[in-house]
Amino acid sequence: MKIKNECVPCLIKRIIFEAEHSTNDEEVMKKTIQNACKALADFYDPNGVSAEIATKVHRIVYDTLGDNDPYSKLKSQSNEIAKTLIPRVEELISVCDDPLRMSILCSIVGNLLDFGIRGGSENPGNLSEVFENIISEDLGYDDTEDVKNQLLKSKKVMLFTDNCGEIVFDKILCREIKKFNPEARLTLVVKGEKILSDATMQDAEQLDFTEVVDEILTTGCFAVGVDFYKMPSKLKKALEDADLIICKGMANYESFSETDYKPIAYLLRTKCTAIANSMDLPLDICAVKLYS
Amino acid sequence: MKIKNECVPCLIKRIIFEAEHSTNDEEVMKKTIQNACKALADFYDPNGVSAEIATKVHRIVYDTLGDNDPYSKLKSQSNEIAKTLIPRVEELISVCDDPLRMSILCSIVGNLLDFGIRGGSENPGNLSEVFENIISEDLGYDDTEDVKNQLLKSKKVMLFTDNCGEIVFDKILCREIKKFNPEARLTLVVKGEKILSDATMQDAEQLDFTEVVDEILTTGCFAVGVDFYKMPSKLKKALEDADLIICKGMANYESFSETDYKPIAYLLRTKCTAIANSMDLPLDICAVKLYS
């Protein structure tokens, strides 16, 4: 997705959020805001990809803060909060007619665990408060049947994760994918470096993802979404061979929508008008949308 | 008020709003966003006054747009919409026990006619839709009795206006002030140059303000709120002599709160957390707060 005008104030808002979580030093805060504005003045271009511009700006912000993980505490809190919801997720899955669809819905509800932007969570505990309501809203856009059809004929499936917390439910989703088609080889992809509140190899290992997937790869570098220029050759090869790519969250849409990879199923909460408009979806819904 | 971190994305959001109202040219839009970000990188300083920084950034934006009045259409629409509400305002005033207080409330409800920021209006017509609700919410903070006491003993009163549309109700307020204390000399102050959706001498003349005030002055220059360094000597003298200064809207608070002028009665809707926090008021209320 190309950057939209409205992405600029949103990005600055998020940078202030992460800076306030990282430092109490007024001088560092001032420098961070100034450098972020300078970076946006330098990089803003309506023909640029939103995720790529965001990566450049966050790189400068992390360097100015002298902090390679401003979301550290929020990430572990998110994983903890999500874990407390596992029994409820398992209950929902066990009593429903379509376990795969329910695990998809739960993993999208987990996508609310995203901070510093409108439509996301104020704090990790927020998820427990809104969980039942969002589940009962159900999917606002639902290509699940098409995704299931694609999944049945897939030999190689990839799942690109997004945030911590959310990833706890992604593990259950992976298990259900493997149950649905035990023949499919499932590759999980996490971030290669710490960025925003996104899950990394450390999270995948702590959550024992090897129990439910065949392979875990990383994006290989510091990037919002995926940097296709810098990704490891192993990931490139896997993408070329994949029969179905499942992408969690908005940043993966921002990255993948600029490529020719397909089929791709986006599983996300539409938390901003830029992405809702780009995907032709309403704002603030849980959506499964397949591009094939 | 010193600028707060949260003012930065808000200012950029507003700049995008005004640019989108001013141009369809992608290149001009790009340049405007880049220049606004560059200006914020240059001018952002937590020790700087929010209104002064906003003035500098809007100056650069107006120059980049090549437009000295991006809000032109919105301003005339706002005046027209507000005029349609005059009969209702007059009815509310005529049936209530305290006409001055009701005229104050109505003039603050008019302060919702402010565009491109959260807590304001999406379009001028929005005011008609929310008018009755906001009136029934009444004043969320009410120093009216103290303001009335101060008004009774005042020989010289000044009223600093804010937005177009709102100014239609300010005229009724001015009339009620003069009824309440016919001895007080009332000076209206409008903007010296077109800035944002603020009222200028042209609006005051079109609305025949001379019917209800003794004098009309201007801030003399291009400024969000008031630029006390550049204001005309006549305005400076009037401020020094005033027994009561009435300020409409947030930008006047941002400017006056950095001066020693008093007593000042702020009549505004708290549309942002920065100002709500600074004034120790809840967000999204109509407030009359006297600093004496």
Side-chain angles (χ1 to χ4, degrees), chain A residues 5 12 16 20 33-34 44, chain B residues 5 12 16 20 34 44:
Chain A
N5 295 342
I12 293 199
I16 290 170
E20 287 176 347
I33 292 176
Q34 288 174 338
Y44 179 78
Chain B
N5 295 343
I12 294 198
I16 290 170
E20 287 176 346
Q34 288 175 337
Y44 179 79

Side-chain angles (χ1 to χ4, degrees), chain B residues 88 92 101-102 105-106 109 112 129-140 269 286:
Chain B
R88 179 60 183 143
L92 286 164
R101 186 179 183 281
M102 182 55 82
L105 174 60
C106 290
V109 175
L112 276 164
E129 295 158 27
V130 302
F131 186 81
E132 297 294 338
N133 278 344
I134 309 286
I135 288 284
S136 65
E137 279 178 17
D138 207 351
L139 293 171
R269 178 89 179 163
C286 292

Side-chain angles (χ1 to χ4, degrees), chain B residues 117-128:
Chain B
I117 56 167
R118 82 149 286 296
S121 301
E122 302 241 325
N123 58 67
N126 191 229
L127 184 67
S128 311

